[in-house]
Amino acid sequence: MEIIVGVDIGNATTEVAIGKIEAEQEFNFIAEGEHQTTGLKGTEENIKGIMNALQQAVQEADLKLEDLDLIRLNEATPVIGDVAMETITETIITESTMIGHNPSTPGGVGLGVGKTVMITELDSCSAGEEVIVVIPAEIDFAIAAENINEGLARGIEVNGAIVQKDDAVLIANRIDKQMPIVDEVKFIDKVPLDRKAAVEVASSGGTIQELTNPYGIATVFDLDADETKHIVPVARSLIGNHSAVVIRTPQGDIEEKRIPAGKIIAFGESGKEKIAVDQGAEEIMKSIEKVQPLKDVKGESGTNVSGMLERVRSKMKQVTGQNLSDIKIKDILAVDTFVPQEVKGGLAGEHSLENAVGLAAMVETSQLPMQQIADALVQELPEVEIEIAGVEANMAISGALTTPGTDKPIVILDMGGGSTDAAVLTQEGNIHTAHLSGAGNMVSMIIETELGLEDFDLAERIKKTPLAKVESMFNIRHEDGTVHFYDEPLAPQLFSKVVSLDEGELVPIPTDHSMKRIRQVRRDAKKDVFVRNAVRALKRTIPTGNIRDIGFVVMVGGSALDFEIPELISNELSNYGVVAGRGNIRGMMGPRNAVATGLVLSYLNNPRWN
């Protein structure tokens, strides 16, 4: 009897399959295990995750670790995702400062323009002078309203107010003129005085119009063409707000700094291509395809993209010990996205959405890191033989063929956390494979970046679960528009929140983004990564290069479990007349465990078995 184990180290999950070979050459799978991958895929840090998955599997099989005869590891290729800004690394405003924090209850309505004046100094203003009063917390709302009314009576054009406390409505209800009032300005001491300012509050249910329009701001502050270009990030960052303040400050208050996005230089067997990042993901991917197969990718020195690619190489150097010169980038996936960038000169943490390109870079596999994992595993299990067995895509084919209803020719899409692998097994038994960067982790990175979450775990939850909006204490509205009612009242803290439906549990999402916006970002990210990778992987692996020449695609891997990715891919491939669906490994595992299963099955061709 022999006990054979297949271990698939993925970017997100490490999976184990255990098979038993009886003396009469009877073979059976007897257990499976699964654990989160520890450390970067393809490094010695993976050992802890491997051991945990093995412990889980041997317990299920009622075995001990020392009962194992052979452990077969897959070839693990690490993939790292990062973001390269398209034009600038931070939004810089040279001629203005702003408050756009969108308090829940501003007062009044309309647009008011004037010089900023402390409410206690209103007596020093002259009749006909246009002012915006600044009201700190120590001034009671009733006194502030009285002072404003007195100023209006003396002919001072009080056109708006900036208030520290939550007093906007209280003040608006007590003054003799309708004007926009923005409150809850925590750092009101930072509001510059004696500077021209514009305050805008939209009508109920609306959003501001003038201060989201760069030409509107230019009109208010009498800006020339060059100054208007600098004000664009201010206008963009205020889009969707119910209220805002823009204040012009002296020239030179804030220093401008720009770092260009730069160019990507792709080296392939058919030549070299240089493409500017600011041309966008579509042009980058066209250039990458022109020089396939890719040998390496570098960035223009002193630019954003150069820094991003060097971070990838440096990280790989740290975890593998390889020389930088030996680390080659074998594939790039580029995706257009948006990145919230802090507006320098803002007073309330304002951000502007800047165009960006997300990049996932796949580093060339070296046998050395995998051998280090094998050597480290020998130290943990000295009585067990360890070997590095096969390429992921080839092993996935063996595993996927255990899906009921499949046969040669077959196309496998193995979609994990870091990479998308494709393999075609022809009727004649020939195998063509492609190993591409970009998968589940990149989707999460795009969601985290575009929604400005700064929380990868939250982005993962948004990626994996449907959304709903809690409309009352007894009902929620799902993202597809259907309504679900509850017999018992929901928790008060869920009211009016966007929630994720995590196995029936309502988990609030701590963000101000609407359900529609979150859903759109999530689905767009999945399309940009998985649908794009599915199409380019198939084009590379199908001998004719024509997707219409295949009939069936089986999707495996952790991302094939996603509630919408297989549907998105199936819809796209239906345009080519292709039937695509989730695999069901061994008729019981669903799309999971394909590579681990294949590692065990491929051993059956071993002379010791034959």
Side-chain angles (χ1 to χ4, degrees):
M1 181 181 73
E2 284 187 273
I3 305 296
I4 311 301
V5 182
V7 176
D8 173 24
I9 306 168
N11 279 276
T13 306
T14 295
E15 298 176 347
V16 166
I18 299 180
K20 180 170 70 173
I21 303 172
E22 301 287 0
E24 297 81 10
Q25 295 194 347
E26 179 184 346
F27 173 79
N28 290 296
F29 282 97
I30 58 174
E32 300 81 31
E34 180 182 311
H35 194 274
Q36 182 178 354
T37 297
T38 51
L40 182 66
K41 174 181 177 181
T43 66
E44 286 189 57
E45 293 177 351
N46 299 159
I47 292 296
K48 184 178 179 181
I50 293 172
M51 294 301 298
N52 286 333
L54 284 172
Q55 287 283 6
Q56 183 186 110
V58 296
Q59 288 177 12
E60 180 185 327
D62 197 21
L63 297 171
K64 297 178 181 178
L65 288 172
E66 51 266 32
D67 295 332
L68 306 178
D69 294 298
L70 173 65
I71 294 176
R72 312 188 81 216
L73 303 174
N74 67 311
E75 286 275 10
T77 302
V79 179
I80 300 174
D82 208 338
V83 174
M85 290 297 299
E86 177 188 329
T87 53
I88 56 178
T89 53
E90 57 184 5
T91 301
I92 306 296
I93 309 304
T94 58
E95 284 281 336
S96 68
T97 186
M98 56 180 290
I99 304 165
H101 65 307
N102 228 15
S104 56
T105 55
V109 69
L111 174 71
V113 179
K115 180 180 69 173
T116 52
V117 174
M118 188 63 66
I119 187 77
T120 54
E121 302 296 324
L122 194 55
D123 288 344
S124 62
C125 297
S126 306
E129 193 171 356
E130 295 187 331
V131 301
I132 301 292
V133 291
V134 178
I135 307 173
E138 59 266 23
I139 305 296
D140 183 75
F141 66 86
I143 294 174
E146 183 180 337
N147 289 346
I148 290 172
N149 285 333
E150 289 176 356
L152 291 171
R154 291 193 295 108
I156 302 171
E157 296 291 336
V158 183
N159 293 332
I162 303 170
V163 186
Q164 187 169 23
K165 291 197 299 185
D166 182 17
D167 289 344
V169 175
L170 294 172
I171 294 171
N173 289 339
R174 287 166 172 78
I175 57 178
D176 300 331
K177 174 184 175 181
Q178 179 172 275
M179 66 182 69
I181 305 174
V182 171
D183 59 2
E184 300 180 37
V185 179
K186 183 176 181 180
F187 302 110
I188 203 160
D189 57 306
K190 294 185 178 180
V191 174
L193 300 175
D194 200 29
R195 302 295 176 196
K196 192 171 186 180
V199 180
E200 185 176 7
V201 175
S203 57
S204 180
T207 58
I208 58 174
Q209 300 295 317
E210 291 301 318
L211 297 185
T212 58
N213 178 6
Y215 302 118
I217 298 176
T219 301
V220 169
F221 293 103
D222 193 26
L223 305 181
D224 61 26
D226 287 338
E227 291 170 328
T228 302
K229 290 180 181 178
H230 287 298
I231 210 70
V232 168
V234 167
R236 288 171 59 185
S237 68
L238 296 176
I239 291 174
N241 277 12
H242 186 58
S243 64
V245 177
V246 173
I247 306 170
R248 185 163 187 178
T249 59
Q251 185 173 5
D253 270 13
I254 301 163
E255 190 173 328
E256 184 175 29
K257 173 188 175 185
R258 290 175 180 262
I259 300 176
K263 296 178 180 179
I264 291 175
I265 307 163
F267 300 89
E269 291 188 6
S270 58
K272 180 176 75 172
E273 281 284 321
K274 184 180 287 189
I275 178 69
V277 172
D278 59 14
Q279 291 191 36
E282 194 67 35
E283 293 302 316
I284 292 173
M285 295 311 299
K286 287 180 182 178
S287 295
I288 294 294
E289 293 301 317
K290 284 180 184 177
V291 298
Q292 287 295 332
L294 202 62
K295 297 171 67 176
D296 198 10
V297 177
K298 294 186 178 180
E300 183 181 12
S301 179
T303 65
N304 244 307
V305 71
S306 174
M308 176 262 168
L309 294 175
E310 288 310 307
R311 284 196 299 273
V312 170
R313 296 181 202 275
S314 296
K315 186 171 183 178
M316 289 309 304
K317 179 181 185 297
Q318 292 172 11
V319 297
T320 66
Q322 291 178 272
N323 293 325
L324 282 175
S325 59
D326 296 331
I327 298 173
K328 308 294 184 183
I329 294 175
K330 301 300 288 183
D331 188 56
I332 285 281
L333 175 64
V335 175
D336 290 322
T337 185
F338 294 95
V339 177
Q341 290 293 298
E342 183 180 356
V343 177
K344 300 301 180 181
L347 298 183
E350 297 83 10
H351 287 74
S352 170
L353 282 178
E354 295 293 334
N355 293 326
V357 175
L359 296 174
M362 185 172 66
V363 180
E364 182 178 29
T365 301
S366 168
Q367 186 70 16
L368 176 61
M370 285 308 303
Q371 191 58 54
Q372 290 173 344
I373 294 175
D375 293 342
L377 201 54
V378 168
Q379 298 299 314
E380 297 283 342
L381 302 168
E383 299 177 358
V384 182
E385 184 179 352
I386 312 293
E387 69 179 21
I388 301 167
V391 177
E392 282 180 280
N394 295 16
M395 297 302 102
I397 283 181
S398 298
L401 279 170
T402 65
T403 295
T406 60
D407 197 0
K408 297 184 296 184
I410 188 172
V411 179
I412 304 301
L413 275 179
D414 184 3
M415 304 177 296
S419 62
T420 300
D421 302 324
V424 174
L425 177 64
T426 66
Q427 192 69 52
E428 298 74 29
N430 298 320
I431 296 176
H432 305 273
T433 64
H435 190 46
L436 306 177
S437 61
N441 289 348
M442 190 176 190
V443 171
S444 298
M445 182 192 75
I446 292 170
I447 293 172
E448 179 187 26
T449 300
E450 197 156 327
L451 295 179
L453 302 177
E454 297 184 356
D455 185 341
F456 189 80
D457 291 337
L458 175 58
E460 278 276 298
R461 176 153 34 102
I462 290 172
K463 177 185 72 176
K464 293 178 179 179
T465 58
L467 302 169
K469 178 70 179 288
V470 179
E471 294 188 326
S472 76
M473 302 311 295
F474 289 93
N475 83 283
I476 64 172
R477 184 174 299 274
H478 293 276
E479 61 178 69
D480 65 359
T482 59
V483 178
H484 180 81
F485 291 91
Y486 293 83
D487 295 328
E488 299 294 328
L490 299 171
Q493 58 268 30
L494 295 178
F495 179 67
S496 195
K497 298 288 187 182
V498 177
V499 296
S500 65
L501 303 176
D502 194 354
E503 297 182 355
E505 182 183 1
L506 304 183
V507 182
I509 297 176
T511 172
D512 293 332
H513 295 288
S514 68
M515 179 171 69
K516 181 179 179 181
R517 166 70 175 158
I518 297 171
R519 180 179 185 270
Q520 189 65 52
V521 169
R522 184 193 72 213
R523 288 180 64 86
D524 285 350
K526 290 176 180 179
K527 288 178 183 177
D528 288 341
V529 174
F530 282 104
V531 174
R532 182 195 291 270
N533 259 355
V535 171
R536 71 183 185 121
L538 293 176
K539 286 181 177 179
R540 287 192 192 179
T541 53
I542 298 168
T544 63
N546 187 350
I547 296 178
R548 296 184 183 279
D549 290 344
I550 60 172
F552 300 92
V553 171
V554 178
M555 290 177 269
V556 300
S559 292
L561 289 166
D562 187 89
F563 69 101
E564 57 189 351
I565 290 173
E567 171 198 339
L568 294 172
I569 293 176
S570 296
N571 288 343
E572 177 66 21
L573 295 184
S574 67
N575 296 327
Y576 299 89
V578 176
V579 178
R582 290 186 182 93
N584 188 15
I585 309 306
R586 292 187 261 136
M588 58 180 285
M589 298 299 296
R592 282 284 196 190
N593 211 258
V595 174
T597 294
L599 285 163
V600 174
L601 291 176
S602 65
Y603 177 74
L604 301 184
N605 295 322
N606 190 293
R608 288 180 295 181
W609 165 235
N610 293 330

